[in-house]
Amino acid sequence: MKVLEDFPSVQLPLEWLPPMKTRAFSISSSPLAHPNQVHLTVSVVSLTTPFKRNRAGLCSAWLANLDPSKGFLMDEHSLCALWGIHRRKGLQSQSTSTAPVMFFFGCRNEENDFLYKDFWLSLAENDGVLSESEGGGFFVAFSRDQPWKVYVQDKMRERGHQVWSLMNSGAAVYVAGSSTKMPSDVWSALEDVVVKEGEVPKDSAVRWLRSLEKSGRYHVEAWS
Ligand SMILES: NC(=O)c1ccc[n+]([C@@H]2O[C@H](COP(=O)([O-])OP(=O)(O)OC[C@H]3O[C@@H](n4cnc5c(N)ncnc54)[C@H](OP(=O)(O)O)[C@@H]3O)[C@@H](O)[C@H]2O)c1
């Protein structure tokens, strides 16, 4: 539509235009922690075109301008790390026993995009759901805060023993983030962890991880 505004002499019948692309967003809150609310964590897209015009992302800007007190309806549900952790926290506050959680968080810089920093850190303290005293842990990988890349899978390899121990005692794996290379690299790191800590050959490790996937204990939510 914006292109057509730039060229008003072009009279294109509206029905020739393709339908607008669907945008999928992850729900980042749990109904246990926030009953009757849905939280979305969205980066508002804003850019300058080659013609030096400022443009905002259609859906992200629309969301950012909504009045939360008025509410809106959604028809899709999906899971992400934040949702899961909120849920665990909700269960813990209801004194329901929760299994240990290891959470690996990766972003570019601690300074700019360590989203929910205070929330994560508070859960890693005392007897929080991510605390080591509860058998879990919180691990960060800031990829661009040093001259070499550090990614979540590097942190998983470092903590391979604990990762294996949780997975082997029934833990589920949730992978959320960019769909380009991250999910396959995380999978490879877990293969290495299973080989090393489980002392099995690579093909057995692959079969074991696939069986987790089949039984609903390995989930990937990725976007590009
Ligand atoms: N302008 C900004 O400052 C800024 C900051 C964050 C996000 N964004 C934009 O927001 C959008 C979404 O961001 P996002 O957080 O989903 O993605 P992202 O920032 O592109 O990636 C998140 C983290 O994953 C890392 N990563 C890249 N390849 C990986 C791999 N193979 N395995 C494991 N980790 C890997 C990234 O490191 P590296 O990228 O360092 O390799 C980064 O630390 C992107 O389109 C991005 O352009 C902009």
Side-chain angles (χ1 to χ4, degrees):
M1 290 305 283
K2 294 285 179 195
V3 173
L4 292 178
E5 278 172 21
D6 287 344
F7 300 96
S9 63
V10 179
Q11 297 292 316
L12 193 67
L14 281 183
E15 58 272 19
W16 287 12
L17 297 173
M20 213 183 279
K21 217 173 74 186
T22 305
R23 272 82 163 167
F25 292 91
S26 302
I27 294 174
S28 54
S29 60
S30 153
L32 279 179
H34 301 279
N36 306 319
Q37 288 182 17
V38 167
H39 296 194
L40 300 178
T41 304
V42 179
S43 178
V44 180
V45 177
S46 130
L47 53 101
T48 307
T49 67
F51 295 109
K52 305 279 175 249
R53 294 187 182 190
N54 295 327
R55 293 279 184 245
L58 188 65
C59 202
S60 61
W62 175 77
L63 277 171
N65 286 323
L66 284 179
D67 178 352
S69 64
K70 297 212 172 109
F72 65 103
L73 287 176
M74 296 180 68
D75 62 357
E76 285 287 331
H77 281 72
S78 55
L79 258 177
C80 79
L82 194 53
W83 187 95
I85 304 281
H86 263 144
R87 182 166 183 280
R88 289 303 180 100
K89 190 166 182 282
L91 285 172
Q92 199 191 36
S93 64
Q94 293 173 356
S95 303
T96 309
S97 75
T98 57
V101 183
M102 290 182 86
F103 179 42
F104 296 86
F105 178 93
C107 66
R108 298 176 182 191
N109 318 101
E110 177 169 14
E111 183 79 14
N112 299 329
D113 42 18
F114 190 3
L115 301 178
Y116 295 95
K117 176 180 181 177
D118 294 341
F119 177 67
W120 304 129
L121 293 177
S122 72
L123 297 183
E125 286 172 353
N126 304 320
D127 297 328
V129 286
L130 300 180
S131 62
E132 297 200 11
S133 60
E134 292 289 299
F138 176 54
F139 311 94
V140 288
F142 301 117
S143 59
R144 304 190 190 182
D145 277 353
Q146 59 285 303
W148 57 91
K149 294 283 183 183
V150 176
Y151 288 147
V152 282
Q153 59 269 28
D154 301 319
K155 297 286 161 182
M156 288 173 182
R157 284 194 171 93
E158 276 172 26
R159 293 285 175 149
H161 183 69
Q162 194 185 355
V163 168
W164 164 248
S165 159
L166 284 193
M167 286 172 75
N168 198 30
S169 50
V173 179
Y174 292 85
V175 180
S178 163
S179 60
T180 32
K181 273 195 81 226
M182 185 275 293
S184 57
D185 288 350
V186 165
W187 176 280
S188 301
L190 290 175
E191 271 177 19
D192 295 345
V193 165
V194 176
V195 166
K196 182 168 175 226
E197 303 294 336
E199 297 176 10
V200 292
K202 176 102 164 182
D203 58 337
S204 308
V206 171
R207 272 202 305 279
W208 190 77
L209 283 171
R210 287 205 185 119
S211 74
L212 283 197
E213 208 174 21
K214 271 206 187 111
S215 62
R217 280 176 53 206
Y218 197 103
H219 303 263
V220 178
E221 180 176 330
W223 56 85
S224 56

